[in-house]
Amino acid sequence: MSLESPVPGHDPVTHDLEFELNGSPERHRVPTSATVLDVLRNACGKQGVRASCERSVCGACTVLVNDFPVAACSTFAFDVEGARVETVEGLARRDGTLSAQQQAFRECGGFQCGFCTSGMLMLTTGLLRQDPQPDRDRIREWISSNTCRCTGYEMILESVERAAELSAAEQQERASE
């Protein structure tokens, strides 16, 4: 699927884009001005990547690119050429069960309206890959790039701590098998 030019009658300069999305290969012809957000939502149908401020301020559009959190709204699509991109839709396990991060947010009530949740889950995933046992200050630092207007952040902090516990338990279980 190609993205259409937002200007009727205008033929934008386009390029072919190839990347891995949640473990599957993707190939699209996109305008050079397209952002990762444009491609993920409009060409790939990933509606869990939220469009909100579109200025890298709120964090609702956070995705992982090669395990690093990025604001999809301000990252050009050509920047993910050949990269591994992960969205919230890719967090659940193949059998459909929730990931440790999703389970923790569910258990601890780390969401209210849910608008920031996909970005928070991706930040949590990125953090735990880099630091499996973060302290509260490190968690605060990481989630500070995502605005939540409902929870007051305490339940989110608890959710990230719980996700670290669940992830550690899963790793121990895999190691003992």
Side-chain angles (χ1 to χ4, degrees), residues 88-118:
V88 69
E89 289 92 346
L91 287 183
R93 295 180 184 93
R94 293 195 191 281
D95 67 1
T97 59
L98 298 178
S99 69
Q101 299 86 325
Q102 292 168 311
Q103 182 62 35
F105 271 69
R106 182 178 179 191
E107 284 179 18
C108 299
F111 56 88
Q112 295 286 309
C113 78
F115 199 80
C116 73
T117 305
S118 58

Side-chain angles (χ1 to χ4, degrees), residues 24-84:
S24 298
E26 292 284 332
R27 181 183 171 103
H28 301 279
R29 185 152 194 78
V30 300
T32 56
S33 61
T35 64
V36 172
L37 178 69
D38 296 331
V39 173
L40 293 176
R41 287 184 63 84
N42 301 326
C44 302
K46 300 302 178 192
Q47 301 303 303
V49 182
R50 306 283 191 212
S52 185
C53 74
E54 301 200 30
R55 294 184 322 225
S56 301
V57 175
C58 72
C61 67
T62 302
V63 298
L64 297 182
V65 177
N66 296 330
D67 293 326
F68 187 76
V70 300
C73 71
S74 62
T75 304
F76 283 112
F78 58 75
D79 286 332
V80 300
E81 176 66 40
R84 189 175 73 263

